[in-house]
Amino acid sequence: SQTIHQWPATLVQPVGSPLSLECTVEGTSNPNLYWYRQAAGRGLQLLFYSVGIGQISSEVPQNLSASRPQDRQFILSSKKLLLSDSGFYLCAWALSDTQYFGPGTRLTVL
Amino acid sequence: SQQGEEDPQALSIQEGENATMNCSYKTSINNLQWYRQNSGRGLVHLILIRSNEREKHSGRLRVTLDTSKKSSSLLITASRAADTASYFCATDGMFSGGYNKLIFGAGTRLAVHP
């Protein structure tokens, strides 16, 4: 069966510090991968998606970047965090219409 | 951009009662999905209904789709305290590159009291 992992689960970082969040998927090959951000009490905002290794597309301009160095690994990064980067970050994978989500990372930028 | 809009934003009921949540969307879709999110957790897929379907059931869940009104409803029957969560509808969209994506609404927060 397929599983998706995200780490860390929680993170508190100062403004201006770098960020690296990791997402890995097991039990499937060549999935589409997605990064979302969720503000408190709100819906999901799609940040990045990837249909293959090294193929990254961004939905909105922002302070973040994403990379897919391996088929089942998706990384969200920032060189310098902003206060507005705080939120709940979710990774998801899909082979067709349904997306399957990881447990999320709660990021607080102080 | 937000496609689905859930209604109500929040719903509070007693155990055993039914809970109905609605979703409206703006453009044509191929399918609509409902997801559930427990507080501080990831989303869990509940059910997918295609544009040529009008109703679908899964356990205590019943989803309807009215493409003429661009709306869907999620009914949870005989609710339990464990059903307390946020529920999101998601419609399919298209990236500029031609790949499918999901567009989520802001969700309905359901509280089921023992």
Side-chain angles (χ1 to χ4, degrees):
Chain A
S1 64
Q2 300 89 359
T3 56
I4 178 169
H5 305 279
Q6 284 186 248
W7 64 87
T10 61
L11 191 59
V12 180
Q13 292 284 98
V15 168
S17 64
L19 173 74
S20 181
L21 303 181
E22 190 163 341
C23 170
T24 58
V25 181
E26 297 176 356
T28 187
S29 296
N30 199 30
N32 292 337
L33 296 174
Y34 307 85
W35 277 113
Y36 291 89
R37 178 169 57 204
Q38 185 180 31
R42 303 292 300 275
L44 277 67
Q45 178 188 32
L46 179 64
L47 302 176
F48 300 96
Y49 69 97
S50 171
V51 299
I53 296 174
Q55 300 179 62
I56 309 294
S57 295
S58 174
E59 276 288 280
V60 293
Q62 58 212 309
N63 183 44
L64 303 168
S65 62
S67 62
R68 185 170 177 175
Q70 300 180 49
D71 181 44
R72 288 167 286 180
Q73 185 185 29
F74 206 21
I75 297 172
L76 183 70
S77 304
S78 174
K79 293 182 179 177
K80 289 185 178 181
L81 284 169
L82 307 172
L83 286 173
S84 58
D85 291 324
S86 292
F88 191 50
Y89 288 82
L90 289 158
C91 179
W93 70 273
L95 289 178
S96 59
D97 295 322
T98 298
Q99 293 186 16
Y100 300 92
F101 286 81
T105 294
R106 174 79 57 194
L107 173 66
T108 303
V109 183
L110 301 175
Chain B
S1 61
Q2 198 159 296
Q3 159 89 303
E5 296 282 349
E6 288 92 344
D7 169 61
Q9 292 184 346
L11 182 60
S12 182
I13 59 174
Q14 297 296 126
E15 263 191 331
E17 294 180 341
N18 295 341
T20 299
M21 288 158 270
N22 303 297
C23 171
S24 59
Y25 57 92
K26 299 174 183 174
T27 61
S28 297
I29 60 172
N30 294 312
N31 62 67
L32 183 145
Q33 303 182 51
W34 285 90
Y35 288 79
R36 163 195 167 126
Q37 183 181 34
N38 288 77
S39 180
R41 307 294 295 274
L43 276 72
V44 175
H45 179 256
L46 295 177
I47 200 163
L48 180 152
I49 186 166
R50 302 204 179 276
S51 60
N52 62 352
E53 298 176 307
R54 291 296 168 260
E55 189 171 311
K56 207 162 182 179
H57 297 256
S58 177
R60 294 184 294 113
L61 305 181
R62 172 178 170 250
V63 169
T64 61
L65 179 64
D66 188 334
T67 53
S68 66
K69 295 181 179 179
K70 291 186 169 58
S71 67
S72 174
S73 67
L74 170 66
L75 168 67
I76 304 175
T77 59
S79 63
R80 307 166 181 166
D83 294 327
T84 295
S86 291
Y87 293 83
F88 296 89
C89 69
T91 52
D92 64 312
M94 190 71 70
F95 292 122
S96 57
Y99 300 105
N100 289 335
K101 68 176 179 180
L102 290 181
I103 305 171
F104 287 84
T108 292
R109 295 186 306 280
L110 172 65
V112 182
H113 303 283

